[in-house]
Each structure stands twice: as C-alpha cells, then as structure tokens.
Amino acid sequence: MRVVMFGYQTWGHRTLQALLDSEHHVVLVVTHPKSEHAYEKIWSDSVADLAEEHGVPVLIRNRPDDEELFERLKEADPDIIVANNWRTWIPPRIFGLPRHGTLNVHDSLLPKYAGFSPLIWALINGESEVGVTAHMMDDELDAGDIVRQEAVPVGPADTATDLFHKTVDLIAPVTIGALDLIAAGQTEFTAQDRSQASFFHKRSTEDIRIDWSWPAQDLERLVRAQSEPYPSAFTFHKGKRLEVLAAVVSQNRYGGTPGRIFYREGEGVVIVAGADARTGRNHGLAITRIRTESGREMPATEYFTSMGGYLTDRP
C-alpha cells in the first residue's frame, strides 16, 4: 500500500523504520518541529532525518490544517495514513482522505490510557500490563476500532524506561500486522468498549511532586515512573528541592505524620507515608538514593545522617 506517515520522536521513528522495512511504500512523511519541552526532548530520534536518508519527502508542521498540506496529501494519493505520536488534532478531511482512512498507533492498551504519557500513568496506577494498539482513527481521541493490539507484563521493579523499551519493540509487529490485515481486505475490526475508557493529560511539574499523604506503594511506583531520563520525582527538605532517584516500600510499618523522616531501614531512610486505603496499613517509603538541589547524587543515608525533620510537598 501507498502510505503517508504522521509521526514524531522515537515512536514515530520506529514506526517509519518498520514501514520502510516492509512491503508497503512510504510516499510522504509529516512530522513536528523539534521541541524544547522537557518530555519531548526524551526519546527524540528524528523522523525527518530518517525519511530524508531514504529519499522520502518531508513536511514539518505543528498542526495539519493548512491548504498546502492538504494538497500535498492529495498529490501523494495514499492508500492509508499511519500516525504514531502525532501531538495535535488531525481533522476529518485529513484522516478520512486516504482510501483506507488513517491507522493510529498508540502506546497503551486502549480503551485505557488514551491521551498522553500512557506508560508513566499506567505504572503509577499499578497496572499489571501495558502495550501498543493500532486502531482506525475517527472523530474521538484514540477511540476508533482496534485492528491489532499486543501487551507486555509490568514487572515489580520495572521503571517507565523499562516499559518504554518493552513497548517500543511492539511497534513494528503491531503496525505492520495491522496494515497487512487492511491490505488483505479486512474491514471489520474490534469496537472499543467506551465504558472502560480513561484519558490522561501531559505530565507536568505538579504531577511529579511527591505528596506524602499517598501510600508508600503508590509513591514507590511514582519514583519508578519518573526514572531517568524522565524528570525525577521530587520533594522539599528545609526549603530545598530534593529529587528522589530510588526508593522501596519499607518492610516494617511506620505510623505517624506523613513526611516525617523517621528511621533507617537497610540501605534506605524511611519517610512516613499515608495509609493504604485498601488495607488500612501504613508503611513508609525507604528512600535509597537522592539528588540535591546542587545536582549532587548520593545515598540517602549519607544525606540524612545529620538532618532530621520533615520532607514536604512545598518549599
């Protein structure tokens, strides 16, 4: 099939590479300009560079809503558009232009985790698996019929970075598998159960600030979700920002005021956390490694040797 690719960052790069390696023919690529947003500088392989290396024409757009783009798409005469990690709304006259419509590739198990940063949100929320979904685009965000979907388990120590590497390897089989089904003439796919849908926004500074009223289990997942190269989860101690790079749930239970620096346990320093609403039990978060406001990384035990008091969610 003749394919136009809409994509950005490593997700789009992997999708384009899979298309270039397949029997399908990429006739045009549309991608975003480079961004200085903290999250968009991560996994930032260039879709434009890859396309140009293979002689594929490239258009750079923030939004795909201008007449020149529409005319270029008509001239390209695609059988299908494939989109992955396209960051702005694609209007119906664009996604409905090709003979087979538009296939969107999304890094979650739709209908759950539509929108942005699905791997991070899924890890924070304690999901047991994540994955990649290829679905037909319609008027509603990430809501079209599912063509192909594959999942991978979330391990007990997985970080968001680990889940990225697990799911990015699914892009090629999910995308090309879905295109092969469409090329073979299949037109009936699996409708999403909209009662199970969930939507999430872009991560921001407020989303990575530690709230010590959360249960320790939730805070431990937050720390793993904000693993390098993502911005680290952070708190404040005596007015200074402190990034939490690694932590575990304490073995013992520790009651008291959330945020209190309480006790050394193993290789960590226990901070009192909120009670788990499901069990009523109150464990601590044992912080093992931190980064100071000056950028110095060190074991938490070294930092807290002579410092007591509280960790807070505000300076």
Side-chain angles (χ1 to χ4, degrees):
M1 289 194 296
R2 293 173 60 84
V3 179
V4 168
M5 165 73 192
F6 277 62
Y8 185 52
Q9 294 179 289
T10 299
W11 290 270
H13 188 278
R14 285 292 186 95
T15 303
L16 178 57
Q17 187 64 68
L19 291 168
L20 293 169
D21 292 340
S22 74
E23 296 180 355
H24 305 288
H25 179 44
V26 183
V27 295
L28 179 67
V29 163
V30 186
T31 189
H32 293 302
K34 291 182 180 180
S35 170
E36 292 303 311
H37 187 282
Y39 280 86
E40 294 189 357
K41 292 167 68 176
I42 301 169
W43 317 122
S44 56
D45 295 298
S46 173
V47 172
D49 289 351
L50 180 60
E52 289 168 357
E53 288 169 11
H54 289 80
V56 179
V58 177
L59 294 177
I60 307 294
R61 292 291 190 278
N62 279 311
R63 298 181 179 277
D65 54 6
D66 60 275
E67 287 302 319
E68 180 191 0
L69 172 63
F70 186 64
E71 291 302 318
R72 290 287 298 274
L73 288 172
K74 288 196 297 183
E75 292 170 7
D77 190 30
D79 294 303
I80 195 165
I81 290 173
V82 174
N84 191 350
N85 201 39
W86 184 261
R87 314 297 276 177
T88 57
W89 181 64
I90 299 177
R93 75 166 183 163
I94 299 295
F95 72 68
L97 177 64
R99 282 175 280 279
H100 296 289
T102 293
L103 181 77
N104 186 51
V105 183
H106 183 70
D107 53 333
S108 83
L109 296 174
L110 293 174
K112 294 182 178 180
Y113 297 95
F116 295 89
S117 305
L119 294 177
I120 295 177
W121 288 112
L123 180 52
I124 291 171
N125 291 335
E127 300 292 349
S128 61
E129 59 180 9
V130 293
V132 172
T133 302
H135 70 95
M136 301 309 300
M137 187 174 287
D138 62 15
D139 289 333
E140 192 172 350
L141 175 66
D142 295 333
D145 290 355
I146 294 171
V147 182
R148 182 164 175 171
Q149 184 177 77
E150 291 193 23
V152 291
V154 177
D158 276 344
T159 64
T161 303
D162 295 327
L163 298 183
F164 166 81
H165 289 297
K166 286 183 178 183
T167 54
V168 79
D169 288 339
L170 298 178
I171 288 174
V174 169
T175 303
I176 304 307
L179 285 179
D180 289 346
L181 289 174
I182 295 167
Q186 187 167 332
T187 58
E188 297 295 324
F189 304 110
T190 304
Q192 294 190 39
D193 180 356
R194 303 311 296 156
S195 69
Q196 299 300 310
S198 56
F199 301 85
F200 290 85
H201 56 67
K202 287 183 180 180
R203 303 288 292 170
S204 69
T205 299
E206 291 303 311
D207 296 312
I208 62 176
R209 188 195 304 266
I210 293 175
D211 181 344
W212 291 102
S213 68
W214 284 21
Q217 292 87 343
D218 294 354
L219 292 177
E220 186 269 343
R221 290 196 303 272
L222 173 64
V223 171
R224 284 192 283 127
Q226 297 298 149
S227 61
E228 294 284 356
Y230 298 102
S232 300
F234 70 94
T235 184
F236 290 93
H237 182 250
K238 298 185 176 181
K240 294 185 177 181
R241 179 175 169 133
L242 195 67
E243 296 181 13
V244 179
L245 306 181
V248 296
V249 177
S250 67
Q251 293 181 346
N252 300 310
R253 292 171 60 187
Y254 297 87
T257 307
R260 179 70 179 267
I261 303 166
F262 192 53
Y263 190 76
R264 177 169 178 169
E265 182 182 282
E267 297 300 315
V269 175
V270 174
I271 314 299
V272 176
D276 190 320
R278 295 161 293 184
T279 65
R281 294 181 177 179
N282 187 311
H283 285 264
L285 185 73
I287 297 176
T288 57
R289 193 159 187 81
I290 59 92
R291 182 186 292 121
T292 66
E293 196 169 76
S294 66
R296 183 185 173 198
E297 292 186 23
M298 67 180 75
T301 51
E302 178 183 338
Y303 179 81
F304 288 115
T305 295
S306 60
M307 295 184 176
Y310 291 86
L311 296 179
T312 67
D313 63 352
R314 300 286 171 181

